[in-house]
Amino acid sequence: KAGVTQTPRYLIKTRGQQVTLSCSPISGHRSVSWYQQTPGQGLQFLFEYFSETQRNKGNFPGRFSGRQFSNSRSEMNVSTLELGDSALYLCASSLHLFLAGDTDTQYFGPGTRLTVL
Amino acid sequence: AQKVTQAQTEISVVEKEDVTLDCVYETRDTTYYLFWYKQPPSGELVFLIRRNSFDEQNEISGRYSWNFQKSTSSFNFTITASQVVDSAVYFCALRGGSGGSNYKLTFGKGTLLTVNP
């Protein structure tokens, strides 16, 4: 079974621009989460989607948004990019949102490395 | 609020040595879930293990073993007879069981393990 895929893998943008990152979950997985990883802050949770609805959100400004489509694929968008948005953005999928057992274990994609100049 | 502390920032060992990575967590949830992930230089987070708070049984998987002690809020990870391929950053993570903001994965800062030949 194919893993989580993320596109693009690398991206260079300039301040003020906006960017859209894409994530395709493992087949059959319905929950998608996004994380930002930086050397200073480590891994931080952005948001989680299940059945096209945002179920949980981290402490990020409104410039960060996302959505999930009916096929469970997800996109995240960052508007008005700042230098501090340079990071590795990781997407993770799980079978379900939250149930007893292992069905909410998250499996991660390779990430999109965003550089803001 | 949840918190995961990995006090060891970097560990360097020689191949075939045993190494233990420490993880201490804080949560007010009575039910919670602990995870270990490995991040090789390629960037993708690789799931290693999940442990439920109501299951304190330790686990061994090949050269890997995990020691979960609820009394000390620790979930330590030991690699026996380390190999160069074990070189990576290892993350401990916590997911609360009460829903709401604790439901997201909270990661520690990670421990960079370098295994030298």
Side-chain angles (χ1 to χ4, degrees), chain B residues 32-104:
Chain B
Y32 50 89
Y33 306 86
L34 295 162
F35 303 81
W36 275 95
Y37 285 88
K38 172 183 179 179
Q39 187 175 41
S42 61
E44 181 172 344
L45 279 167
V46 178
F47 167 72
L48 295 176
I49 191 172
R50 168 197 175 106
R51 176 61 67 210
N52 305 331
S53 58
F54 44 84
D55 179 7
E56 288 194 69
Q57 188 174 9
N58 292 325
E59 183 157 337
I60 298 175
S61 176
R63 296 185 296 108
Y64 296 169
S65 63
W66 290 269
N67 182 5
F68 175 35
Q69 292 199 342
K70 217 168 175 178
S71 59
T72 56
S73 297
S74 65
F75 185 41
N76 297 337
F77 173 31
T78 297
I79 301 175
T80 303
S82 61
Q83 300 176 359
V84 173
V85 293
D86 295 328
S87 297
V89 180
Y90 290 85
F91 291 94
C92 180
L94 166 69
R95 186 156 169 138
S98 65
S101 62
N102 282 350
Y103 179 57
K104 68 180 189 296

Side-chain angles (χ1 to χ4, degrees), chain A residues 37 97-98 101-102 104 106, chain B residues 37 39 50 95 100 103 109:
Chain A
Q37 186 178 24
L97 184 63
F98 178 66
D102 297 340
D104 66 343
Q106 296 187 346
Chain B
Y37 285 88
Q39 187 175 41
R50 168 197 175 106
R95 186 156 169 138
Y103 179 57
K109 293 293 189 185

Side-chain angles (χ1 to χ4, degrees), chain A:
Chain A
K1 188 183 273 191
V4 178
T5 58
Q6 293 186 245
T7 57
R9 293 292 311 277
Y10 302 91
L11 207 48
I12 299 176
K13 292 285 188 180
T14 57
R15 278 184 301 173
Q17 288 187 310
Q18 76 165 21
V19 66
T20 299
L21 311 181
S22 181
C23 171
S24 292
I26 292 171
S27 178
H29 283 197
R30 298 174 60 194
S31 176
V32 173
S33 296
W34 289 89
Y35 295 83
Q36 181 196 64
Q37 186 178 24
T38 59
Q41 299 298 318
L43 277 155
Q44 293 185 287
F45 170 75
L46 280 157
F47 26 65
E48 181 169 23
Y49 287 87
F50 181 80
S51 292
E52 301 177 65
T53 302
Q54 188 180 94
R55 302 295 177 141
N56 209 346
K57 189 177 189 304
N59 295 323
F60 278 82
R63 299 185 297 106
F64 291 81
S65 63
R67 60 177 176 169
Q68 186 181 33
F69 302 95
S70 57
N71 61 358
S72 295
R73 191 178 68 85
S74 177
E75 289 181 348
M76 69 162 280
N77 183 277
V78 188
S79 62
T80 319
L81 284 166
E82 300 177 359
L83 295 179
D85 296 334
S86 294
L88 179 66
Y89 289 89
L90 291 161
C91 168
S93 76
S94 61
L95 195 59
H96 290 295
L97 184 63
F98 178 66
L99 288 172
D102 297 340
T103 58
D104 66 343
T105 295
Q106 296 187 346
Y107 297 89
F108 285 78
T112 294
R113 185 163 297 280
L114 171 65
T115 302
V116 182
L117 302 175

